[in-house]
Amino acid sequence: MGVGETSRDRIARRAAREIKDGMVVNLGIGIPTRVADFIPEGIHVTFHAENGILGTGPTPAAGAEDGFLCNAGGYPVTLAIGASYCDSAIAFAMIRRGCIDMTVLGALEVSEQGDLANWIVPGKRTAGIGGAMELAQKAKRVVAVMNHVNRDGKSKIKKQCELPLTAQRCVDFIITEMAVMEVTDEGLVLKEVMSPFTIEDVISCTEATLLIPDKVDYIT
């Protein structure tokens, strides 16, 4: 982990590596909003926001925010060259038509089958399920980013989700501060382990059954 880099930044940096040149990508609220700040050099991506922006850029510098320019979560954004505006109906039509190549969504729980729960926090008021339901169902690839365990130290990577579902069998890839996992037809495969954690650490903190391949990469 780099000097001054938080675990949330580290998760976002790893998620940015999943973005391929030319993609149209939607970023959810929370950790996903940081992904735009870590796009590798030479990768051209068009970020989509449900509130009607196609072509958002990195987070603006402190003091340079435009009070009229924000993403769907209300956080300030910049615009990339060639960005355009539309109303929310058209923004959601892009999602429903399958025009979003990838979405990066925050998660409260993900099951080993790829079920996603990310819209209600127990004991907290919430306005509703929101656009995550549409994105989880219609984006071509769904990457879930999250802390590996909750505040009580219990695994958020579950055999079965306990919280209300956003969508079933929709998640393709899971990135936490401990590990990177892929949801496959055979099960949940451990692909990478984040330093300083070990495979044993990840297994002990994961309720879901993990398939451990012969080769697991380590990220420093």
Side-chain angles (χ1 to χ4, degrees):
M1 186 180 299
V3 175
E5 187 174 53
T6 67
S7 61
R8 293 165 68 87
D9 289 334
R10 197 178 192 192
I11 293 169
R13 184 186 298 278
R14 178 59 187 84
R17 287 173 45 196
E18 293 303 302
I19 296 175
K20 309 304 179 187
D21 193 52
M23 275 186 167
V24 176
V25 177
N26 179 282
L27 301 178
I29 298 170
I31 296 174
T33 60
R34 303 180 183 221
V35 172
D37 298 333
F38 297 108
I39 301 303
E41 187 175 350
I43 297 296
H44 297 89
V45 55
T46 301
F47 286 114
H48 167 277
E50 300 102 297
N51 58 326
I53 305 175
L54 190 63
T56 64
T59 303
E65 301 90 345
D66 182 336
F68 295 98
L69 191 59
C70 66
N71 59 23
Y75 294 100
V77 294
T78 57
L79 292 180
I81 295 175
S84 61
Y85 299 103
C86 61
D87 62 23
S88 290
I90 291 177
F92 272 90
M94 294 177 194
I95 298 171
R96 294 167 183 162
R97 188 67 183 269
C99 298
I100 308 302
D101 295 306
M102 188 171 84
T103 184
V104 183
L105 297 174
L108 297 172
E109 293 177 349
V110 178
S111 78
E112 60 189 40
Q113 297 85 22
D115 301 330
L116 172 67
N118 81 338
W119 70 279
I120 188 168
V121 179
K124 301 289 186 180
R125 294 186 63 182
T126 178
I129 196 167
M133 177 176 64
E134 307 270 4
L135 289 160
Q137 288 286 345
K138 294 297 185 179
K140 296 173 185 175
R141 180 172 170 81
V142 177
V143 175
V145 295
M146 60 199 297
N147 293 322
H148 207 96
V149 299
N150 63 22
R151 292 181 179 179
D152 297 323
K154 295 182 178 179
S155 175
K156 295 169 67 173
I157 317 295
K158 317 284 286 184
K159 287 186 176 296
Q160 299 287 339
C161 291
E162 298 174 6
L163 296 173
L165 294 185
T166 305
Q168 292 180 304
R169 297 181 180 272
C170 60
V171 175
D172 299 294
F173 217 61
I174 306 168
I175 302 172
T176 76
E177 81 283 9
M178 295 183 71
V180 176
M181 294 148 282
E182 184 175 13
V183 181
T184 71
D185 292 338
E186 291 72 33
L188 189 59
V189 179
L190 179 63
K191 305 292 289 185
E192 301 170 12
V193 173
M194 302 275 200
S195 175
F197 301 103
T198 65
I199 292 177
E200 290 73 23
D201 292 332
V202 176
I203 293 173
S204 68
C205 291
T206 306
E207 178 191 299
T209 300
L210 281 175
L211 303 179
I212 312 299
D214 293 336
K215 183 179 184 299
V216 176
D217 293 329
Y218 283 82
I219 302 177
T220 58

